Amino acid sequence: SDLQKQEERGELLQPLIFVLLVLCSVLLYFKVSLMDPGFVKSEEEAGKSEEQSMVIPQVPSNIKMRRCGYCMVKQPMRAKHCQLCQHCVRRYDHHCPWIENCVGEKNHPLFIVYLSVQLVVLLWGGHIAWSGLYFEQSWDWLQHNILLLMSFLLIVIFTIVVLLLLISHLYLISCNTTTWEFMSHHRISYLRHSELENPFDQGVILNLWRFFC
């Protein structure tokens, strides 16, 4: 049959891979949006941990852990209270309306993986939509291809958004800083009183290694 011939020629492999990528993207979306981003638990109230003291010796010792005025837990360094989630989040990056969840210590690496898979799906989908377009300067052509053309334009817009988001996150990760710290540097006590511009930066390679591994 035609289906068997297509399978023998390997023509079914690409659609299968594309469908699997889409499925993987959907599963990653639900995983990142439903998982705990690193909520600060009440039993974690303490001063600096031993790990923090070793990793960040440049941070002034006179900076004390402050108690959150909303959920009344002591915030570890780099944590922030999210008004939408009603929790303090460890290594808070931002609250993402796309996934309706915070991006923090626990789900940030998976969020990057999700963006990467999503970008591949969008680029592939854009290529498929573009290959189906043939341009003619006529009203009939526009009527028959308006949905495909709009789909292609939407894919291009989403691709640009995801690409810029992924690039910006990878840049911040390579500097070992978060979106919140980057945007609010002047308002964060442990950064404002630090002698270094970024006391967490340990070099690009080590920053990436610590984040992903």
Side-chain angles (χ1 to χ4, degrees):
S1 65
D2 291 340
L3 194 62
Q4 286 178 327
K5 290 179 180 178
Q6 286 180 326
E7 186 177 1
E8 290 172 0
R9 291 196 299 266
E11 293 178 2
L12 297 179
L13 184 61
Q14 286 193 358
L16 180 62
I17 294 174
F18 180 76
V19 171
L20 288 175
L21 277 174
V22 173
L23 181 61
C24 180
S25 174
V26 173
L27 291 175
L28 282 170
Y29 172 83
F30 283 110
K31 176 66 175 175
V32 173
S33 62
L34 296 175
M35 72 182 295
D36 176 2
F39 294 133
V40 180
K41 305 296 191 298
S42 57
E43 61 266 22
E44 293 178 36
E45 296 181 8
K48 289 183 180 179
S49 66
E50 183 180 346
E51 180 185 359
Q52 284 180 316
S53 299
M54 289 188 298
V55 173
I56 326 162
Q58 303 95 330
V59 177
S61 57
N62 60 343
I63 296 177
K64 298 179 180 179
M65 300 266 290
R66 75 182 189 91
R67 188 176 291 276
C68 177
Y70 298 97
C71 52
M72 303 308 292
V73 298
K74 283 189 176 178
Q75 290 182 334
M77 194 172 291
R78 310 190 79 176
K80 182 183 181 296
H81 184 86
C82 176
Q83 297 276 18
L84 296 172
C85 292
Q86 293 297 307
H87 283 286
C88 287
V89 180
R90 301 178 70 94
R91 201 182 181 279
Y92 176 86
D93 189 86
H94 71 289
H95 182 92
C96 181
W98 195 348
I99 62 173
E100 199 57 43
N101 193 12
C102 281
V103 176
E105 184 178 73
K106 290 186 177 180
N107 66 347
H108 200 171
L110 205 60
F111 180 72
I112 299 300
V113 175
Y114 164 67
L115 287 180
S116 302
V117 174
Q118 190 68 51
L119 181 61
V120 173
V121 169
L122 286 168
L123 289 171
W124 199 337
H127 172 72
I128 293 171
W130 177 259
S131 64
L133 285 171
Y134 59 95
F135 294 96
E136 292 180 7
Q137 292 184 349
S138 68
W139 179 247
D140 288 337
W141 176 89
L142 186 61
Q143 282 184 315
H144 286 93
N145 292 274
I146 185 67
L147 289 178
L148 186 59
L149 191 60
M150 288 178 62
S151 299
F152 177 73
L153 292 176
L154 279 174
I155 289 172
V156 169
I157 293 170
F158 284 130
T159 300
I160 293 171
V161 171
V162 173
L163 180 62
L164 292 176
L165 191 60
L166 182 60
I167 290 173
S168 64
H169 271 277
L170 289 174
Y171 168 74
L172 293 176
I173 291 165
S174 69
C175 300
N176 197 0
T177 190
T178 64
T179 303
W180 173 58
E181 290 171 342
F182 181 77
M183 300 293 290
S184 307
H185 188 280
H186 62 287
R187 294 194 290 114
I188 302 173
S189 59
Y190 59 80
L191 294 178
R192 192 173 66 245
H193 295 108
S194 174
E195 296 178 0
L196 301 176
E197 180 71 19
N198 179 11
F200 307 109
D201 189 8
Q202 296 179 301
V204 175
I205 295 175
L206 192 56
N207 290 339
L208 292 172
W209 175 264
R210 285 185 176 276
F211 182 84
F212 288 107
C213 306

